Amino acid sequence: MSEKGLQMPSGGSCSSFIPSSLFSAILVLGSLSRGLAEDPYVYFDWTVSYLSSSPLGVKQQVIGINGLFPGPILNITTNWNVEINVKNELDESVLLTWNGIQHRKNSWQDGVLGTNCPIPAGWNWTYQFQVKDQIGSFFYFLSLNFQRAAGGYGGIIINNRDVIPLPFATPDGDVTVFISDWYTKSHKKLRKDIEKGNDLGFPDGILINGFGPYQYDKELVQDGITYQIINVEPAKTYRFRVHNVGISTSLNFRIQNHNLLLVETEGSYTVQQIYANMDIHVGQSYSFLVTMDQNASTDYFIVASPRFINSSKFSKAAGVAVLHYSNSQGPALSPLPDPGENDAYASMNQARSIRWNVSAGAARPNPQGSFRYGEITVTDVYVILNRSPELINGKWRTTLNGISYLPPSTPLKLAQQFNLPGLYKLDFPNRLLNRPAKVDTSLINGTYKGFLEIIFQNNDTNVQNYHLDGYAFFVVGMDFGVWTESSRATYNKWDGVARCTTQVFPGAWTAILVSLDNAGIWNLRTENLDSWYLGQELYMTVVNPENDTTELQLPDNAIFCGLLSSLQNDQAQRFKFSGAPSISNASKASLIALVAVAFGCFVLSPS
């Protein structure tokens, strides 16, 4: 939100300044100008720009939002309408995507190349979407050109409506934690390495909230690195929302001498179970309740360390922050807390233990388990197999079922809207075919209101993590080896957790079920940036065969590119607002005055 305030009479009974946080609350009342029955609207101005930072002691260029790295937290509530004007001050085009936000029947706002033209350097564009029937912990990030490797990410909190209680006592505080592998090379150099077929190599370190590690060992961590301190009060319980926003590394998260009570993942309340640590894979988000129940004789380490690598490299790369009680009597003491078994089998067993809380209400008051996914007949099955990078037509590419995705210059959604022929095919194979790998624009033709089964088979040597935009899917099974029809006997058809990103271990498979009730064109991708950048993604089109008046139409402020470039009006001025509907200044003034009266003061003028 723009940092603005409102000036008050000098002799008034209120503070002389209304901060931007209250100004945001005032703007929520914008819903009054659209009718009292509608859900609230909130408005934000975000500027994407380069910043200078030294998270690992080496000065480098990172990407921030509103001067922050990581970016601001988007803290909203179920069914709110959100408008975010994104101003691009980078030297290359950008898009923001909203990991886990379903954009019900509104894939125009998804922020990926299949649905949106990029926002050119020096331009702006306003996202307009509703967080319909969702709660939970998510994050946003820049989706183009390996930019997430330089930052450009931030958290999303969707709170329960007041009428739906949390399935646990209200925490005393809320803490967002971003964990990520990190390289001191720029994102531009990293993507060039990938294009040449070079492996990324081991990360230079692990960041926690954009900071490097606390110097827990002088031989492993150099002097002068700024680290994260999280301040807490004794005997209080905090909700920790932890996101792996990294490039390709699975990370183990833990807090020294404290248990993690898992309560939510990516919009689903889970069965509440205690873990000493949690493996969090790229693109995944978890919520834990952590009670400050220690004697505070020292501070405590918060650790994120790589999984599935040898121990000497693990020690070098660990990300370490500090949990500081207000009554702490000294610094945290080594060694770092034990991450447990560094083993894919143990990690898979942990993943299998995560269960859906079928009795809890979430975005709606009815229990989550009232959707009995295990009783629905599957209409389509796709077994999707990946492979390690390979040369196709002289270039390094990654594939799904032998196809490396090639984004057309005109986004798929625009091509569909304007009936442009020949830009894509509805022929993505439901299994790997016996033919050479190729580069193509091949889509899944999803059946509206069908029930889809997808099995991801990982033939790579690293954990791959798959994300589906527009939906939450049910993770019903995973195992090592090759999936067969008989593998369905192991499926969890009652309380498999619903989420938007799932891990697939090397030499293993993961099965998901998804109800295709959200019309639009939706991206299915690996969250591992190296594999994604080389083509390991596809799109699924889901069209209501009837005249669907509920699917949102082309936005008035759409950017046009490719074959439709002639429809685009130039933005003559940098950062001119893109024409998104908003409350008039007069309406804002009236609403602000209304709030000011409630606070016993009178507004003279906006600043």
Side-chain angles (χ1 to χ4, degrees), residues 77-262:
T77 296
T78 301
N79 294 343
W80 281 16
N81 297 280
V82 180
E83 298 191 6
I84 302 177
N85 185 57
V86 176
K87 308 172 184 181
N88 178 13
E89 288 190 349
L90 301 187
D91 56 358
E92 54 187 8
S93 297
V94 303
L95 282 173
L96 273 176
T97 194
W98 318 89
N99 223 51
I101 304 303
Q102 293 174 13
H103 300 296
R104 301 293 300 174
K105 300 188 177 182
N106 188 19
S107 57
W108 296 109
Q109 308 298 320
D110 203 25
V112 286
L113 282 178
T115 57
N116 297 87
C117 293
I119 306 169
W123 285 40
N124 76 297
W125 194 67
T126 301
Y127 289 88
Q128 306 165 66
F129 57 88
Q130 184 182 28
V131 287
K132 183 69 174 174
D133 293 336
Q134 286 193 264
I135 58 92
S137 308
F138 310 96
F139 65 93
Y140 61 84
F141 66 92
L142 295 172
S143 63
L144 302 184
N145 295 323
F146 232 76
Q147 289 163 352
R148 194 177 77 208
Y153 53 76
I156 304 173
I157 296 172
I158 307 180
N159 302 289
N160 281 42
R161 293 177 291 162
D162 290 340
V163 294
I164 303 176
L166 293 168
F168 44 82
T170 302
D172 298 297
D174 205 293
V175 179
T176 295
V177 178
F178 302 105
I179 56 178
S180 62
D181 52 3
W182 192 258
Y183 295 80
T184 54
K185 280 186 180 180
S186 73
H187 70 284
K188 295 177 182 179
K189 289 182 179 179
L190 288 172
R191 72 190 185 212
K192 288 295 183 185
D193 286 346
I194 294 298
E195 291 169 1
K196 294 175 183 177
N198 298 329
D199 188 86
L200 284 175
F202 196 74
D204 295 308
I206 304 299
L207 303 192
I208 297 180
N209 285 349
F211 292 100
Y214 171 83
Q215 195 179 42
Y216 66 95
D217 186 318
K218 291 187 177 182
E219 293 184 4
L220 296 174
V221 181
Q222 69 183 66
D223 293 330
I225 290 180
T226 303
Y227 57 93
Q228 172 79 82
I229 300 174
I230 294 176
N231 295 306
V232 294
E233 295 294 328
K236 302 290 188 181
T237 296
Y238 295 80
R239 183 171 180 172
F240 278 67
R241 303 175 192 260
V242 188
H243 312 274
N244 185 335
V245 295
I247 298 172
S248 63
T249 305
S250 298
L251 298 172
N252 179 266
F253 179 79
R254 55 203 185 273
I255 302 177
Q256 189 177 35
N257 292 5
H258 291 74
N259 288 322
L260 308 175
L261 179 65
L262 179 65

Side-chain angles (χ1 to χ4, degrees), residues 39-56:
D39 294 304
Y41 282 74
V42 288
Y43 306 83
F44 301 89
D45 290 334
W46 286 1
T47 299
V48 180
S49 65
Y50 291 119
L51 306 172
S52 180
S53 183
S54 306
L56 295 177

Side-chain angles (χ1 to χ4, degrees), residues 239-454:
R239 183 171 180 172
F240 278 67
R241 303 175 192 260
V242 188
H243 312 274
N244 185 335
V245 295
I247 298 172
S248 63
T249 305
S250 298
L251 298 172
N252 179 266
F253 179 79
R254 55 203 185 273
I255 302 177
Q256 189 177 35
N257 292 5
H258 291 74
N259 288 322
L260 308 175
L261 179 65
L262 179 65
V263 294
E264 178 257 336
T265 179
E266 297 162 21
S268 285
Y269 289 122
T270 63
V271 173
Q272 295 177 22
Q273 300 181 82
I274 292 175
Y275 295 88
N277 59 78
M278 178 64 70
D279 288 347
I280 304 180
H281 304 276
V282 177
Q284 292 187 331
S285 302
Y286 287 94
S287 277
F288 307 100
L289 296 183
V290 182
T291 299
M292 304 304 135
D293 55 5
Q294 298 301 298
N295 62 16
S297 58
T298 65
D299 291 338
Y300 301 94
F301 291 130
I302 301 171
V303 182
S305 58
R307 274 301 199 198
F308 319 127
I309 59 172
N310 70 59
S311 59
S312 61
K313 290 183 177 179
F314 145 78
S315 296
K316 179 181 178 182
V320 183
V322 170
L323 184 74
H324 175 74
Y325 282 56
S326 61
N327 61 340
S328 173
Q329 299 173 38
L333 299 177
S334 294
L336 299 181
D338 184 8
E341 295 179 72
N342 189 28
D343 177 83
Y345 287 88
S347 188
M348 180 181 286
N349 286 334
Q350 183 185 68
R352 287 169 171 161
S353 73
I354 299 169
R355 304 288 179 164
W356 206 29
N357 186 338
V358 297
S359 63
R364 295 182 177 183
N366 50 304
Q368 293 181 138
S370 60
F371 185 79
R372 300 182 181 275
Y373 70 88
E375 299 176 7
I376 301 174
T377 301
V378 170
T379 56
D380 297 283
V381 180
Y382 283 80
V383 180
I384 298 180
L385 183 144
N386 68 11
R387 288 200 295 240
S388 299
E390 56 190 301
L391 282 171
I392 304 176
N393 301 329
K395 294 185 178 180
W396 287 99
R397 305 290 299 183
T398 53
T399 60
L400 294 174
N401 281 1
I403 297 176
S404 185
Y405 180 77
L406 177 68
S409 61
T410 307
L412 305 170
K413 188 66 177 169
L414 282 173
Q416 185 184 71
Q417 173 78 15
F418 287 87
N419 296 312
L420 301 179
L423 292 184
Y424 61 87
K425 306 168 188 174
L426 299 177
D427 65 350
F428 188 83
N430 62 4
R431 279 174 170 75
L432 178 67
L433 301 179
N434 185 20
R435 65 185 185 190
K438 64 177 181 175
V439 176
D440 207 350
T441 308
S442 179
L443 278 64
I444 290 177
N445 190 10
T447 303
Y448 183 66
K449 292 192 175 179
F451 200 59
L452 182 63
E453 178 184 8
I454 299 177

Side-chain angles (χ1 to χ4, degrees), residues 50-81:
Y50 291 119
L51 306 172
S52 180
S53 183
S54 306
L56 295 177
V58 178
K59 189 174 182 179
Q60 62 184 118
Q61 195 175 66
V62 302
I63 299 176
I65 298 177
N66 285 1
L68 301 174
F69 167 64
I73 304 295
L74 181 59
N75 194 337
I76 49 183
T77 296
T78 301
N79 294 343
W80 281 16
N81 297 280

